[in-house]
Amino acid sequence: KLKNTQQCSPTRRLKRILTMLNLKGITITLLCVLVCKFSNASDAYVRTVHQEGQGILRPIGESCFLYTPAHVVTKSQGVLVETRLRKNLRGELINTYPQDLALVKLDDSSACQESSWKDGGERVEAIISVISSGRMNYKHQQGRTEVYDVEITDKAVDSTFSLKLKDGKKFRKGMSGSIVTVGDYPIGMLLSVEGDTGIVLRMDTMADLSRRVILRYATDKERIELGDLSNREGEVSNTEANTKPLLK
């Protein structure tokens, strides 16, 4: 009997190990679901007296900016912003653009710690040229996030593309400004809805439109990363102007 017990013990140990690995796998899966849910969520819920919507945060220098549809914020003097960790942040409307885009500066720059902004949308063109599916992320005022599978259509337009919600889902009030992602990469922001089709402003277009304003707040390093060499060129011109030719 002792011999049989010794022979069976490795099998029992193996079963226990497999059970532990399975439990760890479940735990890891749950953690991944939670992390992915938050990393792909819209950065902020935006509220005014007349409208509500969503937005994406962008850190520049010592400031924190919010991109949101202009129709959400233009008819109100006050803009309140809520992120996953911060409530009742106040924002100042800095500029609006004809494409229904608004740029808001938040009074608390630390809010941009939750930003999902990536490289000004440099990879948007490459992504949407080959991919036709993504996700749209909608944040409720209470903080709960819903993720919708979407079909990307009408990609030929330079500044926008269209999308439709899959699985019979419907657009609802307050979705304007929701971030559209492929994987964890943001490719655009929902501006408006026409019937069952959403119009999305591309992330690279948003970066181009706001470039002049953003440069005012950028650090020297950020200006270089954004491809702005105006200061350096000015310094070179001044140096050349002040340099006198050598006398022979």
Side-chain angles (χ1 to χ4, degrees):
K1 292 182 179 179
L2 179 60
K3 186 177 179 180
N4 291 337
T5 303
Q6 289 175 341
Q7 289 177 345
C8 292
S9 60
T11 302
R12 291 175 180 175
R13 286 199 299 269
L14 179 59
K15 288 182 178 179
R16 286 198 297 268
I17 292 172
L18 290 175
T19 301
M20 292 174 63
L21 288 175
N22 187 45
L23 290 174
K24 288 182 179 179
I26 294 173
T27 302
I28 292 172
T29 301
L30 289 174
L31 288 173
C32 287
V33 169
L34 290 173
V35 170
C36 291
K37 177 181 177 181
F38 288 128
S39 64
N40 288 335
S42 285
D43 289 347
Y45 170 82
V46 185
R47 176 165 49 92
T48 66
V49 175
H50 306 287
Q51 294 280 353
E52 62 178 323
Q54 316 282 305
I56 183 169
L57 300 170
R58 181 182 185 181
I60 286 292
E62 297 180 355
S63 303
C64 181
F65 292 90
L66 171 81
Y67 292 92
T68 192
H71 72 264
V72 174
V73 296
T74 49
K75 294 183 179 181
S76 180
Q77 296 180 347
V79 180
L80 291 178
V81 178
E82 298 184 5
T83 68
R84 183 168 59 91
L85 299 177
R86 293 170 176 80
K87 306 295 182 183
N88 296 323
L89 297 170
R90 296 193 175 276
E92 176 188 1
L93 181 60
I94 298 297
N95 204 4
T96 59
Y97 305 89
Q99 292 81 358
D100 193 20
L101 177 67
L103 186 63
V104 176
K105 184 174 181 291
L106 301 187
D107 59 0
D108 184 356
S109 60
S110 65
C112 269
Q113 294 175 0
E114 301 178 61
S115 171
S116 58
W117 183 271
K118 297 182 186 294
D119 65 34
E122 294 177 0
R123 289 179 278 171
V124 171
E125 182 64 35
I127 290 173
I128 65 175
S129 64
V130 296
I131 294 179
S132 297
S133 295
R135 288 182 172 182
M136 188 185 76
N137 308 278
Y138 168 63
K139 183 186 294 295
H140 292 260
Q141 182 179 3
Q142 297 80 7
R144 182 169 62 91
T145 301
E146 287 188 69
V147 180
Y148 297 82
D149 291 325
V150 301
E151 177 187 359
I152 302 171
T153 62
D154 296 336
K155 299 181 288 186
V157 183
D158 290 337
S159 59
T160 64
F161 60 86
S162 301
L163 61 78
K164 293 187 177 182
L165 301 183
K166 294 182 178 180
D167 304 321
K169 298 295 180 64
K170 302 293 183 181
F171 290 102
R172 66 177 67 175
K173 181 181 179 180
M175 282 186 168
S176 295
S178 296
I179 302 172
V180 181
T181 59
V182 172
D184 65 346
Y185 191 86
I187 61 172
M189 182 178 72
L190 179 68
L191 290 181
S192 59
V193 176
E194 298 176 1
D196 62 349
T197 301
I199 308 301
V200 181
L201 186 64
R202 288 173 40 156
M203 202 64 63
D204 50 351
T205 301
M206 293 164 56
D208 290 341
L209 290 171
S210 61
R211 174 183 170 82
R212 182 173 297 180
V213 176
I214 289 297
L215 285 174
R216 299 176 190 170
Y217 298 87
T219 63
D220 291 341
K221 179 181 178 181
E222 289 172 333
R223 293 177 72 94
I224 294 173
E225 292 173 348
L226 291 169
D228 180 70
L229 302 177
S230 57
N231 288 344
R232 180 171 293 184
E233 291 172 353
E235 291 173 2
V236 172
S237 299
N238 291 335
T239 302
E240 292 176 348
N242 294 330
T243 301
K244 297 180 179 180
L246 296 176
L247 296 175
K248 295 183 179 180

